[in-house]
Amino acid sequence: EEEEEEEDSESEGATDSMDVDQTVTVDPQDFAAACRHLYEMGWLAVVEDTYTDTLHKAIHSKILKQCTGKYENPFLPKLHRWLDTVVYAYMQVVLCSSVDSPSDMFTAWKQRINFYVCEVLTTLRISEMFDIITDYPDSEPVLIDLRECLNNTRKHKDLSSSLVNQFQKRLLIPGANTSDIISLYVSTIRVLRNLDPKGILLESVSEPVKDYLRRRKDTIRCIVTSLTDDSNSELFGELGAGSPSTAEHDDKADLSDDSEDEGDNADHWEPDPVEADPSKTSRSRKSADIISMLVNIYGSKELFVNEYRGMLSERLLASTDYETEKEVRNLELLKLRFGEASLHSCEIMVKDIVESRRINTAIHSASKSDHQRTEEALLPFNRISATIISKQFWPSLPQEEFKMAPALASTLTSYAKKYSELKVPRLIQFVNHLGTVTLELEKEGKSVSFTVSPLHASIISYFSEQPSWDLEALAKTLEMSTDALRRRISFWVTKSVLKETRIESRITYDLILNTPEGEGSSCFGGGGEFEGHPMEEEDSISDLSNYKSVEMYVIGMLNNFPSLPAEKIHNMLTMFAMDPPYQFTLTQLQAFLSKLVTNDKLESPSPGVFKLKP
């Protein structure tokens, strides 16, 4: 109803709508008479530039006013109605053409006006292309208009060059998260295939994006994470909807298959445009789906399979309940894409977890049914659950050697002995630094539970035997370097369980038995859980200068920004911190930034966001 009212008002005020720079009111009958006289004398060509300029200004103004920044509805049908009721009525008067039998001149002018409308609308949408892609699929209606306009104006090359420039300025920059770049690239694939089903437009636009993503270290991990994360409905949905072994198809599609496809439609065959890559076939451009295009960023599926294998290892080892339903589902979907042979190791890994649950249940049941054991002897079997893996099928696990505390070592030895009895002749070898230990510390009548790595548990266990340790003596007992021990023991210092004392070059650690007066009633400095899973949090950075250099980079960045999320800080450090090279994982960086907050160097106004402390 609103559109009809608008159209009525436009029809009634046709002259006002057309005279963009109007300063004088002209009677319609006088205007029609003047045009008729000009036509009879053959002088219309004299004023052609004037009424052409008037038409163009009116059309340009109308399109900018009605279409700029609006993507929810198609506008071409509405513009055509406006042309019929306003612009063409004006032209009939100017050219003295009747409605029933339009003159050849009027027909030619009508074609020119239609082309100009498409040209202006195409130029506008090209300038807004980045925003249209960002808003997709909500912006899908305007793609209907743009596809029709591109077919008329053939501005595909302008669109591709403009979009590449917009990407360079707004997307392919250090501050953009890799996951956001991939998400926008997926939307770009969908949008450009809507506009150009042949895939030539996408081919020209995607190359700079793929080149940039190849230079980012976390691209493969972000893609694999999106594929296996059911909360990411876009890519996860693509994984479930695809046909088997789609990812194996690449740009080197067989030429004979392409020729057969063209032979079936020989009457409708059209050559590729001049700008098309001659090394690629039309069939390969049309058939490659989104996941195949993401895989083809690197040209090989092996990198993605290896990355998934590493991520699967982390997830399975981090799980404490032996639940594999989600991983089995993801694995089955990936097998359809990448083939069963390439994911055979992953299948064994999942089976190891299922088998581990069965073995743990069997060991616990066997220990309970043995009536000769005392209640104390039963405790190790009831309190330990192990994940038992087939080493040759799993990725290399991180290594860190240390001597486990006797209390923990004896428990693991008892478990290994029971395992050997059940699985003759197999032996089990524990990876000491992986896993978690839940323990309780009691002070001043208060008990606090901690979930920490075996190394942290071993460190605090020695203080139950001796309340004070010299750093070098404790490092020798644990059979590890003093630098590595100092980094690990700092966890207990921040929890107010231990106190560090430095006298010249000697460093000692003492168990805090009583909370000093004036420090509040809270013991253990907040207590709780080790920040991050031990597998991820165990520091692989050997050079302590890395910490200082990262701190300097972070402070420098936050001097230029009010605040930054940890992900953006991580991306910028990855791009710019070269001397010494930046080696932190995102989890390690988050823990380090939290430590800077604890040391009053930074503030965290919201979770995961950091700024300088005033």
Side-chain angles (χ1 to χ4, degrees):
E1 293 177 357
E2 293 177 357
E3 289 183 3
E4 290 175 0
E5 292 174 2
E6 184 180 348
E7 290 171 5
D8 292 339
S9 63
E10 289 171 344
S11 299
E12 293 171 2
T15 305
D16 294 337
S17 298
M18 295 301 303
D19 294 344
V20 178
D21 299 325
Q22 177 180 343
T23 56
V24 214
T25 300
V26 179
D27 183 86
Q29 293 182 353
D30 293 342
F31 177 73
C35 290
R36 190 165 48 253
H37 291 320
L38 289 172
Y39 177 76
E40 291 172 351
M41 291 185 293
W43 286 5
L44 280 179
V46 177
V47 294
E48 181 176 352
D49 290 343
T50 302
Y51 64 73
T52 299
D53 184 59
T54 301
L55 285 171
H56 285 181
K57 286 183 177 180
I59 293 170
H60 192 270
S61 175
K62 178 74 173 179
I63 291 176
L64 291 185
K65 181 179 179 180
Q66 296 292 325
C67 305
T68 303
K70 299 175 183 178
Y71 315 130
E72 298 81 11
N73 300 294
F75 285 93
L76 266 185
K78 186 176 179 180
L79 287 173
H80 284 310
R81 290 196 297 269
W82 176 73
L83 291 174
D84 290 336
T85 56
V86 178
V87 177
Y88 296 152
Y90 170 81
M91 289 304 302
Q92 285 173 343
V93 173
V94 171
L95 300 175
C96 299
S97 176
S98 65
V99 178
D100 298 329
S101 56
S103 63
D104 293 339
M105 184 180 294
F106 175 78
T107 302
W109 264 99
K110 191 173 181 180
Q111 293 175 351
R112 290 173 61 182
I113 292 171
N114 279 329
F115 181 83
Y116 184 74
V117 167
C118 290
E119 191 175 41
V120 173
L121 187 57
T122 301
T123 303
L124 173 64
R125 293 310 186 201
I126 286 176
S127 67
E128 298 176 327
M129 203 62 208
F130 186 88
D131 296 322
I132 292 173
I133 293 174
T134 303
D135 289 349
Y136 187 84
D138 294 336
S139 60
E140 190 169 7
V142 300
L143 300 180
I144 302 172
D145 291 346
L146 185 55
R147 184 168 61 246
E148 182 178 341
C149 291
L150 285 172
N151 290 335
N152 291 331
T153 60
R154 311 307 300 173
K155 283 180 169 282
H156 296 80
K157 189 173 182 179
D158 293 342
L159 172 58
S160 63
S161 60
S162 174
L163 186 54
V164 168
N165 289 334
Q166 292 176 53
F167 280 165
Q168 297 287 359
K169 294 178 181 178
R170 302 177 62 180
L171 181 66
L172 308 181
I173 54 177
N177 293 330
T178 304
S179 56
D180 293 336
I181 297 175
I182 293 171
S183 178
L184 200 71
Y185 179 47
V186 171
S187 296
T188 302
I189 294 173
R190 297 182 186 276
V191 168
L192 296 186
R193 281 196 164 159
N194 189 317
L195 296 175
D196 176 28
K198 290 185 177 181
I200 296 169
L201 191 57
L202 175 61
E203 183 179 87
S204 60
V205 171
S206 63
E207 285 304 320
V209 181
K210 292 194 290 185
D211 289 342
Y212 184 82
L213 286 174
R214 274 191 287 267
R215 297 198 298 269
R216 287 213 168 189
K217 297 179 181 179
D218 59 341
T219 297
I220 298 178
R221 174 165 285 260
C222 287
I223 293 174
V224 175
T225 301
S226 298
L227 285 174
T228 56
D229 182 7
D230 52 8
S231 63
N232 187 324
S233 57
E234 191 170 33
L235 275 184
F236 184 78
E238 283 286 326
L239 181 63
S243 58
S245 301
T246 306
E248 296 182 8
H249 177 85
D250 59 18
D251 292 333
K252 298 179 181 179
D254 187 80
L255 185 61
S256 62
D257 292 340
D258 188 54
S259 301
E260 290 176 6
D261 184 62
E262 291 168 355
D264 295 337
N265 301 279
D267 293 339
H268 304 286
W269 179 84
E270 292 181 2
D272 289 335
V274 177
E275 59 268 20
D277 186 348
S279 66
K280 299 179 181 179
T281 64
S282 7
R283 182 170 181 170
S284 67
R285 296 189 193 98
K286 295 176 184 177
S287 60
D289 65 352
I290 291 176
I291 296 180
S292 298
M293 294 196 68
L294 292 175
V295 171
N296 286 334
I297 289 176
Y298 291 90
S300 170
K301 66 180 181 182
E302 298 303 325
L303 293 173
F304 289 85
V305 171
N306 291 335
E307 183 66 32
Y308 171 69
R309 186 164 163 255
M311 291 177 60
L312 180 63
S313 170
E314 294 177 8
R315 291 174 182 173
L316 294 178
L317 291 178
S319 175
T320 57
D321 55 7
Y322 301 106
E323 286 297 326
T324 59
E325 181 180 353
K326 178 180 177 181
E327 302 304 335
V328 169
R329 180 190 59 192
N330 290 341
L331 181 57
E332 292 300 320
L333 291 173
L334 287 169
K335 282 162 66 176
L336 294 176
R337 286 279 175 174
F338 299 104
E340 292 192 18
S342 58
L343 291 166
H344 176 67
S345 296
C346 298
E347 192 170 8
I348 297 297
M349 291 163 62
V350 174
K351 288 181 178 179
D352 281 345
I353 302 302
V354 176
E355 181 69 7
S356 296
R357 175 163 51 186
R358 191 189 66 79
I359 292 173
N360 277 285
T361 302
I363 290 178
H364 294 166
S365 299
S367 64
K368 291 179 182 179
S369 63
D370 191 346
H371 299 291
Q372 295 180 355
R373 292 188 179 276
T374 62
E375 184 177 352
E376 289 75 19
L378 284 170
L379 289 178
F381 300 107
N382 293 334
R383 291 188 175 184
I384 186 172
S385 294
T387 299
I388 304 166
I389 66 174
S390 306
K391 183 177 179 181
Q392 63 269 33
F393 293 101
W394 286 65
S396 299
L397 299 177
Q399 297 295 324
E400 183 174 20
E401 298 297 330
F402 72 95
K403 183 179 179 182
M404 189 169 286
L408 293 174
S410 63
T411 302
L412 297 182
T413 301
S414 299
Y415 186 95
K417 182 179 179 181
K418 192 65 180 179
Y419 174 83
S420 298
E421 293 174 2
L422 290 176
K423 305 287 287 186
V424 177
R426 295 185 182 181
L427 298 176
I428 190 172
Q429 180 181 2
F430 282 97
V431 183
N432 290 345
H433 64 284
L434 297 182
T436 58
V437 178
T438 301
L439 51 83
E440 287 188 359
L441 299 184
E442 185 175 340
K443 182 174 72 172
E444 299 177 348
K446 294 184 179 181
S447 180
V448 178
S449 177
F450 290 86
T451 300
V452 296
S453 71
L455 176 54
H456 287 88
S458 295
I459 290 172
I460 202 62
S461 176
Y462 281 108
F463 282 88
S464 65
E465 303 171 0
Q466 180 179 322
S468 180
W469 281 86
D470 180 82
L471 176 64
E472 292 186 359
L474 184 57
K476 185 176 180 180
T477 302
L478 287 166
E479 298 180 2
M480 60 188 302
S481 68
T482 55
D483 288 341
L485 174 59
R486 195 178 177 200
R487 290 198 298 272
R488 303 303 186 274
I489 205 172
S490 64
F491 170 75
W492 294 116
V493 174
T494 59
K495 295 298 181 182
S496 300
V497 175
L498 301 178
K499 179 182 179 182
E500 180 182 280
T501 305
R502 178 190 288 271
I503 301 176
E504 296 181 352
S505 60
R506 183 187 177 192
I507 300 175
T508 59
Y509 292 92
D510 300 289
L511 187 64
I512 301 177
L513 299 175
N514 298 296
T515 305
E517 294 183 5
E519 292 190 9
S521 59
S522 173
C523 59
F524 300 132
E529 190 169 338
F530 185 75
E531 297 176 355
H533 189 272
M535 275 191 60
E536 299 173 327
E537 201 59 43
E538 292 298 323
D539 197 347
S540 61
I541 303 171
S542 57
D543 188 356
L544 288 175
S545 64
N546 273 296
Y547 289 97
K548 191 63 179 176
S549 65
V550 169
E551 180 180 341
M552 293 172 60
Y553 273 115
V554 169
I555 291 174
M557 278 188 278
L558 294 176
N559 275 324
N560 298 317
F561 296 93
S563 63
L564 285 173
E567 291 83 355
K568 278 199 172 182
I569 296 175
H570 178 65
N571 288 336
M572 295 173 76
L573 287 171
T574 302
M575 296 290 290
F576 297 114
M578 299 299 178
D579 187 21
Y582 176 67
Q583 300 174 347
F584 283 55
T585 65
L586 178 58
T587 306
Q588 289 170 340
L589 177 64
Q590 289 171 332
F592 180 66
L593 294 174
S594 299
K595 186 175 180 181
L596 293 180
V597 172
T598 304
N599 294 339
D600 290 332
K601 294 183 178 181
L602 300 180
E603 284 185 350
S604 182
S606 60
V609 178
F610 300 89
K611 68 176 185 178
L612 287 178
K613 194 171 183 69

